[in-house]
Structure formats: C-alpha cells, structure tokens
Amino acid sequence: MSLTLKRLLGVTAAVTTGAAALLGAGAGTAGASGGAYCDRAEQDMWSDGPSRSLTGHHCSIPSDGHRWYTVEIGTLVQRHYKGDTLDGRIDRTETLHHTTIRCLGYTSGNGTVNWFGCPPV
C-alpha cells in the first residue's frame, strides 16, 4: 500500500471518528434539553453545604423516565440555617434566578415535587 493511500485512509478515519464524536455530543445535549422546569423551589443550606434535595412548585416533568433529570428553576430560595437541624433558626435566605441543577429522581404530590439526589453545583 502506498504512503499516500495510507495517509488518505488515516485522514478519512480521523474525520469519521471526529464527526461521530460531535454527533454524539450533540445528541446528548439535545436529550438534556427535554428536562424539567419549576417556577419556584426551596433548598435548605447547612453549615457543611446544600441539602441534596429540594422542593419544587409549579413544575413540568418530562413523561419519559431518565436516570438523571436536568431541572431548570425560575426562582430558587435557599434557606441558610444556623445549626444542622430544621429546629435551628434560619440565619438568612438567598434568592437565585434561572438556576439549573441535576437530580437523580423525584416524588410528587399535593402540588409539589420533591427532587432528591441533587449534588451541589
């Protein structure tokens, strides 16, 4: 096999692999855009960081089941507690707008969605 033919095959393989990688990344992004949306949510904040769960209100949830959910939140209210229990006083609150988080799953009822398994961002 000539050197030119080997180079041509090598370039073709590289272009094909690169195109497949780009298409794969685009497909992953397109799948993530079908995530959930909540108008408002609350999250407790402890001395060692955020809670791994939050409560959402007025949420739209995709009908197809996912392993991870991308949740866009219009207004996220974070309650910072003085201690590490709910019995402690709320030290302050922070309001974040247009926040995106990832959660492992949810339960819903009484007009709220309880998202769980949400690692800190």
Side-chain angles (χ1 to χ4, degrees), residues 79-90:
R79 295 179 296 236
H80 293 262
Y81 286 88
K82 276 196 175 268
D84 285 334
T85 64
L86 289 173
D87 298 338
R89 259 189 24 200
I90 294 177

Side-chain angles (χ1 to χ4, degrees), residues 5-120:
L5 186 57
K6 285 182 183 180
R7 287 182 182 166
L8 182 60
L9 288 175
V11 169
T12 304
V15 169
T16 304
T17 304
L22 287 175
L23 286 175
T29 305
S33 68
Y37 176 81
C38 294
D39 287 335
R40 185 172 166 274
E42 296 99 24
Q43 183 178 34
D44 295 325
M45 303 292 286
W46 310 108
S47 60
D48 63 344
S51 170
R52 302 301 190 259
S53 60
L54 56 96
T55 302
H57 303 277
H58 307 287
C59 298
S60 65
I61 302 170
S63 59
D64 53 339
H66 290 287
R67 176 86 174 151
W68 283 92
Y69 293 90
T70 301
V71 185
E72 295 179 22
I73 302 169
T75 304
L76 175 62
V77 177
Q78 294 179 327
R79 295 179 296 236
H80 293 262
Y81 286 88
K82 276 196 175 268
D84 285 334
T85 64
L86 289 173
D87 298 338
R89 259 189 24 200
I90 294 177
D91 185 32
R92 63 187 167 88
T93 60
E94 265 186 86
T95 303
L96 306 173
H97 299 282
H98 309 293
T99 305
T100 302
I101 61 166
R102 290 176 47 92
C103 295
L104 184 58
Y106 68 92
T107 59
S108 61
N110 298 330
T112 62
V113 177
N114 297 305
W115 296 99
F116 60 86
C118 311

